[in-house]
Each structure stands twice: as C-alpha cells, then as structure tokens.
Amino acid sequence: MAGPTMPKNLLDVCAPGRDGIGASPLRPDGILKVRGDFAYASDLWHEDMLWGTTLRSPHARARIRSVDVSAALALPGVYAVLTHEDIPGSKFYGLEIADQPVLAIDEVRFHGEPVAIVAADHPETARRAVDRIVVDYDVLPAIGPAQALDPERYGYVHAPADYKAHASGNVVHSQHIRHGDGDSAQVRARAEVIVRGEYEVGMQDQAFLGPESGLAVPAEDGGIDLYIATQWLHVDRQQMCPVLGLPPEKVRLTLAGVGGAFGGREDISMQVHACLLAQYTGKPVKIVYNREESFFGHVHRHPATMVFEHGATRDGRLVFVRAEIVLDGGAYASSSPAVVGNAASLGIGPYVVPNALIDATAVYTNNPPCGAMRGFGAVQMCFGYESQMDRLAAELGLDPVELRRLNAMEQGSVLPTGQVVDAPAPVAELLRRVEAMPLPAAEHRHTGDGVDVRELPGGVSNSTHGEGVVRGIGYGVGIKNVGFSEGFDDYSTARVRLEVVGGAPVALVHTAMAEVGQGGVTVHAQIVRTELGVDLVTIAPADTRVGSAGSTSASRQTYMTGGAVKSAAEAVRGAVFERGRLRRGWPPDLVAGLRLVGGKVVDRADAVVADLVDLLGDEPVDETVEFRHRPTQAFDRTTGQGFGHVQYTFCAHRAVVDVDVELGLVKVVELAAAQDVGKAMNPLAVLGQIHGGTTQGLGLAVMEEIVVTEGRVGNPSFTDYLIPTILDTPPMPVDVLELADPHAPYGLRGAGEAPTLSATPAIVAAIRAATGLALNRVPIRPEHLTGT
C-alpha cells in the first residue's frame, strides 16, 4: 500500500536513516495499535483486583431526597458502595475552579452526574449492585443557555451561597476586549458597508479511541499507586490529594496506554473514584467506562452562539468588528475561563482590525460540562468570523480570498489585545498557496455502467447518479495560540541520563509527558539523538516521580517538553565536556567548539577528540531541567489588553464539496491545507497532525453533534453520534511552510490544533457556494439543505 504523499518542500529532510530532528522515524506504538497489540489502560490487570462501577443521574437537574444503598451492599461479591458521605477529604474538585462534587451531595446538575460508586469482585456484580441503589429524586426543570442569563426568572445552576466561579449569577467567566474606538458611532460612520450575522456551533465530542480507564493499587505506606490514561498526571494528582486526604508523595501516578484525548482527558473522570474504592477496600480497583458511559464521563466542546458585525470600507479594508459570544459551559466550570479567554482574544481571526469590541461569556447550565477540546474556543470563533468574511466579500462584490489577503495580519501587526505579533505570521502566503493548489477533476469518474457512485454524495447507497449534484469551493483560515496563556506558569521538566550500557553510550529520557498519540516520545528521542549524537535512546514511563510536564494540550508538548528535553540534553552535553576539561585538560577554546557525533566527541574540524564510552566510563551524567516559555500576562478583564499568548499558529484550507441539493447529501471531495509549522521536527508526524485536525473539522462541519434536549443526552453511542470514517475522508494535499519562530526551540510551532479551525468554515463556505443557502449553524444536517 502506498504511503502518504510528502510535500515537496519536506522531501529533503525525510531521507531514510536520519533519526534526528527533521527526519521521520516511525512512532514505536503505531504498528502495535494498528494490529490491536497495544496495551491500553483498559488492559491493566491485577491478580486480586476489584471492579468499580458508577451510578449516574438519569436527570439533568434534580434534588436528591435520599440514597438507599442497603440492597446493593447485601449483594454477594460487593465490597463497597460509597456516596459523598464516605469521602475522607474534600468533596469537590475542579481543573480551574473546585466546584464539581466528587459524588453528588444533595443535587444533580447534569444528565450522567456520578451519585455513588461500587466495588465488586466481578464487573457484572458491580453493575447489578448499581441497579439496586435507590435514589429518590425531586426532578426540576433544566436550565439551558438562554435561561441561564436570567437567573432571577429561571433559577441558579449553583445557588448563590454555593457559587465558586469568577463572576455571579449563572456566569462562569466573562472576558471583554476593547480595541481602538470599538464600535462607536464615529467608527461605524467610517464603515461604508456593515454586515451582521448570527451563528451557532453544536456540542462536539472528542470521540477518542480508548474510553476512560485505570487501575488504583493501595500501597504499603498507606498511599495509592494509580495507573491511568490521562493528559496531565500532576494536575490529576493535585485535584485528587485533597479528596483522598493524602499528601502528594503518597499519591503516585503512572501513565498507562492512552487511546487519544483531544482535551477529553484534561479533567479527571474515574481517577478519584477508583482511588476512593481502593482506599476503602484495601484492594486494587479497576474502572473501565464503556462507550456510552464515556459520553457522560468527560467534558465536550462548548456549544456557542455568536453575533458578529463587520464594518469595512468599500474597497474591503476592515474598519471594526463587534462580537457577542455566549458559550455553554454546562454544569461545572472545567476550563471554561480559559476557553472564554481564547474565544475573546482570537475572536476576530488572523486579521488587522483597527477597532474591535468583543464580549465573551461562559454560562453554567444543566447541560453536560464542557471544557477542553482541540482548538479550545478558537474553533467556534473561526466558524463565525470566517462566515462573516464570506458574507462581507459577497456584499462588497470581492473575491473572498482576496478580501482575506487584504486584511491579513503579518509579523508586526497589532492584535485587538494590544499584543504585537513578533514572529512570522504568513496568513496571506498560506491563502495564496492553498488557492494555487491544483483543483480535483471536475467530472466524476465513469465506469462501464455509468458514473462511479462512490464518488457522489450518498456513495454506494446509490441515491444519485449526479442528477442534483452541485459542486462548491470554499476557503477558511484560522489563528490559534500555542501553550498556556494569560500569565499561567507554563513549564515542563525533563531528566536526561547518559551512560554506557553494553559497551555503547545510551541516553535515557524521563518526563511526565502524557503520550496520548501525538508522537511526543518519538520526537524526544529525535531531539536527544541530535543533541547528544547517540543512536540508542530509551524513553522511561511517564510518572509523577519526575516534575510536571504540563498537559498534553494547547499544541504545547513539542514546544514545552521538547524544549525541556533539549535543555536537559544540552546540560548533559555541557557536563560531558566539563568532565573532559577537568580530567583531560581540554583548553576552553577547544571545549567551545566541541560536538557529540556518532558516539564521539569531535572538534570544529570533525576530528575525534575522545570516544564517548571512554569519557563516561562507569560514571553516568544525569541532568534534570525545567523549561519555561517567555512569560505571558493575564488579560485585563474589562479591556482585554495584555501580552496574553506566547505563540500563534496559522492554517488555511480550501474545500471542494459536492452537494446533492435535492436530497441534502454532502460529499467532501478534497480538503487542501497550507500551514506554517516553524520547523517540521518529524515531517510525517506533522502531516498526521494536519490530516487529523482537518478530519475533526470535517466532522464538526457536517456530522458531529451531541444532541441535548432539556439537558438529556440523546445519542451517547457511535451508532448515533457520527464521526468521519475513511469513506468520508477526502484526499488532503498539504503544503507546509517552515518559517522559524525565533522564540521557540528549533523555531517550531505547535501544529495539532490550527487545521481543526479552518477546515470547518471552508467546508461550510463550499456548501454555501453550491446551494446559495446562508447556513449559519454547524454541523449542517440534510434538513438544513432541503428545508424539510
């Protein structure tokens, strides 16, 4: 089978046999996963372990009058049934705000909220015990996002006495941006054309491969060892310790096999429940969610409603942008404040706008909690502002790509937050490149029996032979921040050890980075090979014995933990040279020009100065380094001004779409992308990130939505929640730029999220072009196209 097509500009760094940075060694877990041989957290096993199960609320909002666990406890094989009354420490946890009960106390606030947990000697026994728990509910009307803004009339999701977030009422967090003269009367008067649009984004699920799972093992010192699939080991522990009543040194986490994340594992799920049951029973406890429970067990992408006004001169120069954004945060805060910060600060897109007024708010509702998901607030905004750019282009009679290029930001541009873009921002160039790519064939391929229906909307269902099919082309471009922002102390820790094993120099890399499928372990080995000139690199299991690596999110791990590994390797290299200076009398001018290559110490002329094995002997060099990016600032809450983000990343898409306008069926024919990645550390992995993000954007455009009605989830399965399969995924030609960011290790940029932004509006624009419909909501459903 043919492999992926590598962009021409990356071919020179993909030569086989080069396993340093810029090469494309294969990931060690890839073949195992494809063959089904990879050990995920759900495969963990302990000889005498118990099985944990969770009782969840069937209601979106209800008071709990009573909980009777006696029948469950009487079932043979049941070791424990715990409610909030059995929690030894704090009863609340939370990623940013500790507002979520570990187990519901006197009220449930969303469909699926955990009420009680059971440990039994068999998973079926545990499920039968859960069925025997009797909860007396007083069901209340669910509060949705529209009602949430009027708590005096519709009530509070969190009673004022229990409110723990940043604002008041049902508001979790707000962020305002005031730039230039906003949308004052004088500004509006300068705009010769003003377009207004209202847009809506549905609730998207991360749909990761492996449901939540882990194994908690009681330790002899009274602590707990937890083997877990997660995104952030140390913050999991930070939230768990107060609940368990244990100090951090007695709660040890080790990363187990992770089947994807996309933000869905940034909040804890079953971690603390498994540990509570293990702590109570004194036995190992394993919890594995099935797919349906997984839909209730993690946060989702925030649904959003957005109102935009764009004002421009007749020749297409933006004069102002006004945006009102409401994000449905669901029942608990999760990372809603940071999502609001992104939505506000990135709310006008990669454009230069002299005046802007943006108000972004997240509200508490009785819908499922929402938090981190790939793109993190920027995805919703990109659909809104890119739809507006198309609408503005139509109103002005301009080409939509040309309008975007005319207003595109570049290095030196000033954002509405006042931040100056101090690294390459090739927005216009990305648009030029993606527009210049060859278009796919206009005609459908014919077989001997006529048109090949596999290439038409509806595919082999044979719903059309092309009678009502219209082709459309659309464009989108987006901006995403990289790393943790707004003054967060973002750092990562890496330990690198260089020693002689079996007569050869070997490097060991130890971090707490969660490998969730992004390929970080592959890149870490590449970095060490480059910096230390050794072929043999071992990656130690990620755990909390080493300092935090931060979360595997925000497109940050190659930048942050890759930066930490680079720094630690440099420290090791420096220590090796210092050893040579002290023991062999190397003069400073020689040391200044030394490098490590192929297991040798070589000088500027590539002459061998020493064999690394001889220099190391039986004394390893071991260095641990914390790496930080340059500091950022919190946005001013009322004006939004501040140096809030450390780095920006950009991607542009062109979508070619066929639409059966009579049946409302869509086939995405091609999704071409152009993206600047700063430095392609592993070009094959970069392609995978762009393809993956693009596919997730396709899902949001035409398929993926958790259907929530009065707080109840209606489609918690992959039968009813549709995600793109290989049959839905079109060819994706990619053009990659490598314009180095001078502030980042190796000049790299985070690559994983930007393509998720721009794919969605490009597809919607193409469908609009084919149908002539306004289409202000995603995902687009057949009835939106047929009006039925």
Side-chain angles (χ1 to χ4, degrees), residues 374 517-519 684-694 751-753 755-756:
R374 196 176 195 170
Q518 80 278 19
L684 189 60
V686 166
L687 274 187
Q689 289 286 349
I690 296 172
H691 286 166
T694 299
E753 292 178 288
T756 314

Side-chain angles (χ1 to χ4, degrees), residues 110-241:
F110 73 95
H111 180 202
E113 180 161 0
V115 176
I117 48 178
V118 172
D121 58 4
H122 191 280
E124 183 57 31
T125 304
R127 284 191 284 270
R128 288 168 55 204
V130 160
D131 291 340
R132 292 187 176 205
I133 299 172
V134 179
V135 183
D136 184 13
Y137 293 105
D138 176 17
V139 180
L140 302 170
I143 299 172
Q147 294 87 7
L149 294 171
D150 189 359
E152 294 301 320
R153 180 177 180 183
Y154 295 103
Y156 294 86
V157 177
H158 297 262
D162 300 328
Y163 183 85
K164 298 176 181 176
H166 299 154
S168 61
N170 285 322
V171 174
V172 184
H173 186 80
S174 292
Q175 178 63 61
H176 309 285
I177 304 285
R178 300 294 181 263
H179 173 56
D181 292 323
D183 69 340
S184 66
Q186 295 83 354
V187 167
R188 298 179 76 90
R190 292 201 291 272
E192 296 169 279
V193 174
I194 297 175
V195 296
R196 183 179 188 277
E198 299 182 12
Y199 306 95
E200 184 178 354
V201 175
M203 183 183 293
Q204 188 181 20
D205 185 60
Q206 293 83 355
F208 43 66
L209 182 66
E212 295 83 346
S213 52
L215 175 66
V217 183
E220 291 183 354
D221 66 353
I224 296 283
D225 290 296
L226 178 65
Y227 302 86
I228 184 68
T230 183
Q231 285 181 244
W232 195 348
L233 291 164
H234 285 77
V235 161
D236 283 6
R237 183 174 69 172
Q238 179 181 312
Q239 295 174 83
M240 292 162 55
C241 286

Side-chain angles (χ1 to χ4, degrees), residues 444 451-460 464-467 469 658 666-667:
H444 301 298
V451 68
D452 186 345
V453 296
R454 294 173 300 178
E455 298 183 357
L456 292 169
V460 294
T464 181
H465 286 197
E467 299 87 352
V469 175
D658 281 347
V666 173
K667 180 177 179 59

Side-chain angles (χ1 to χ4, degrees), residues 460-484:
V460 294
S461 63
N462 203 25
S463 56
T464 181
H465 286 197
E467 299 87 352
V469 175
V470 180
R471 177 161 292 185
I473 298 173
Y475 292 85
V477 63
I479 176 174
K480 175 68 180 62
N481 63 310
V482 172
F484 294 153

Side-chain angles (χ1 to χ4, degrees), residues 87 159 264 280 325 329 457 501 515 563 714 745:
I87 295 172
Y280 188 87
I325 303 151
V501 178
E515 173 60 65

Side-chain angles (χ1 to χ4, degrees), residues 493-534:
T493 313
R495 172 185 167 230
V496 173
R497 178 184 175 93
L498 185 61
E499 59 188 326
V500 177
V501 178
V506 177
L508 172 76
V509 181
H510 187 193
T511 76
M513 180 205 71
E515 173 60 65
V516 304
Q518 80 278 19
V521 296
T522 310
V523 171
H524 291 175
Q526 292 178 250
I527 291 172
V528 170
R529 289 189 192 105
T530 298
E531 300 298 335
L532 297 184
V534 297

